[in-house]
Amino acid sequence: MIKFEHVSKVYSNGVKGLDDVTLTIDKGEFVAIIGLSGAGKSTLIRTINKIIDISSGKVMVDKIDVSQLKGKELRKFRRKIGMIFQSFNLVTRATVIRNVLTAKVPDMPFIKVLFGLFSKKDKIEALEALDKMGIVEKAFLRSDQLSGGQQQRVALARTLVQNPEIILADEPVSSLDPVTAKQVMDDFKRINKEMNISILINIHHVELALEYADRIIGIQDGKIVYDGKAENVNNEILDRIYKKDLDRKSTVSL
C-alpha cells in the first residue's frame, strides 16, 4: 500500500509541485495520473521512491516512512520499486541481456560488476524476463538496433528482474507512435494482472489512460482534482483537470 498524508513539495524557485496531497493506493492497482505539463504528475510518482524529496507531510509505502530513508536503507527500499522512463535509460551500445542484467548490479560485489561476472541464475532470470516481454530472440543484439517499443520492453524486462512490488512509469509511451504505445500499454496491463504488481503511470494520452487504467488521478497545479474509476471520467471531469479555457482535443488526443 502507498499512502500520501498531506504531502506538499515546494521547489527552490517557489513552484508548488504538490499541494496538500492525501491519497491511498492499494496493492495491485493500475493507476494513471493525468494533467497538464507541469501539473505535478512526475513529482507525485517520484516522491514514492524518493527521487524527489517532499517538503512536508508523509509518504508511506507498506508502513515505511519514505522520507526517513537514506543510504543503504534507501537503496534496499528502491529495489522493490521499478522505474520506467520516457527515454528508456538503456546503455545503447550494450546488448539487450546486459541491459536487463544491470538490475542485478546493486546486489553484486564491485569486482563482479567491473568484469560483468553475472551468475547463470541471473542470466536465466534475465532471459525469462525478456521472454515475458516477447523479445527473448533479441537478447544478444545491441540495444540501439531495436525499435523504440522494443527498447521500452527491454526496460520493462529489466524492471521485472528486480521482482518489484510497485512499478512507476514516467511518460513511458510519449515518444512512441500510437500503435506501439498501445502495445506497450498492453504489456503494462498484462504485468499488472498476471503478477499483481501495483502500477502508477504518469501519462499525457488520456485515451490510453481511460482504456487501460482502473483508476484515474487528475492533478492540477499540484492538487488532486479527481480521484476515481476510469469509467466514471466524463467531459465535466476532464474540464476540471485541464481547465475549461483549453482546447482539450489538442491536449488529450494521441
Side-chain angles (χ1 to χ4, degrees):
M1 178 186 289
I2 303 166
K3 196 168 186 178
F4 287 75
E5 299 177 2
H6 300 288
V7 173
S8 293
K9 169 63 181 179
V10 181
Y11 289 98
S12 57
N13 61 1
V15 171
K16 281 189 175 182
L18 297 175
D19 188 358
D20 195 28
V21 170
T22 294
L23 59 87
T24 298
I25 297 163
D26 292 323
K27 180 172 176 57
E29 283 198 276
F30 192 133
V31 181
I33 304 160
I34 64 173
L36 294 168
S37 295
K41 302 188 303 296
S42 292
T43 302
L44 183 70
I45 67 169
R46 290 176 183 225
T47 60
I48 295 171
N49 58 358
K50 209 184 176 185
I51 289 179
I52 292 177
D53 284 309
I54 61 175
S55 302
S56 62
K58 188 178 289 187
V59 178
M60 305 290 292
V61 177
D62 294 334
K63 299 182 180 179
I64 296 171
D65 186 345
V66 177
S67 65
Q68 300 301 310
L69 297 175
K70 55 186 177 181
K72 289 183 179 179
E73 286 184 344
L74 178 58
R75 290 192 293 272
K76 183 180 178 181
F77 168 77
R78 283 176 173 166
R79 288 175 206 169
K80 67 178 183 179
I81 301 180
M83 187 83 192
I84 303 291
F85 298 92
Q86 174 184 343
S87 58
F88 320 132
N89 280 19
L90 302 180
V91 180
T92 54
R93 293 188 177 186
T95 61
V96 166
I97 191 170
R98 183 60 183 263
N99 271 283
V100 176
L101 284 166
T102 59
K104 296 291 186 179
V105 166
D107 298 316
M108 293 172 58
F110 174 75
I111 192 68
K112 287 192 174 184
V113 174
L114 185 63
F115 291 101
L117 301 176
F118 298 96
S119 69
K120 182 179 179 180
K121 179 175 178 291
D122 289 342
K123 292 175 183 177
I124 290 172
E125 287 182 7
L127 290 170
E128 288 175 344
L130 288 167
D131 190 38
K132 287 177 183 175
M133 291 296 101
I135 54 169
V136 68
E137 75 280 0
K138 309 289 186 183
F140 298 100
L141 294 178
R142 274 181 32 158
S143 295
D144 56 8
Q145 295 179 270
L146 273 56
S147 68
Q150 290 170 335
Q151 288 189 53
Q152 195 59 289
R153 288 191 177 95
V154 175
L156 266 168
R158 179 181 59 197
T159 295
L160 291 182
V161 168
Q162 292 179 230
N163 295 314
E165 297 174 15
I166 299 166
I167 292 178
L168 308 175
D170 196 0
E171 294 293 348
V173 298
S174 62
S175 63
L176 305 177
D177 65 79
V179 173
T180 305
K182 284 181 68 69
Q183 292 170 346
V184 171
M185 291 297 288
D186 284 338
D187 291 329
F188 276 112
K189 190 70 173 179
R190 180 167 49 83
I191 290 168
N192 170 248
K193 295 303 180 186
E194 292 180 1
M195 304 179 73
N196 198 34
I197 295 173
S198 304
I199 295 181
L200 284 79
I201 290 185
N202 158 17
I203 188 168
H204 277 298
H205 302 319
V206 173
E207 290 91 342
L208 290 178
L210 297 180
E211 180 179 352
Y212 287 94
D214 304 313
R215 176 179 171 187
I216 301 292
I217 293 174
I219 189 167
Q220 182 190 113
D221 298 328
K223 288 183 175 290
I224 303 299
V225 295
Y226 177 77
D227 181 4
K229 293 181 179 180
E231 63 196 50
N232 293 337
V233 175
N234 55 30
N235 287 339
E236 181 182 346
I237 289 168
L238 290 177
D239 281 337
R240 193 190 315 162
I241 297 168
Y242 289 96
K243 299 180 182 178
K244 290 183 178 180
D245 59 338
L246 292 173
D247 178 3
R248 190 169 60 252
K249 289 183 179 179
S250 66
T251 304
V252 305
S253 65
L254 289 173

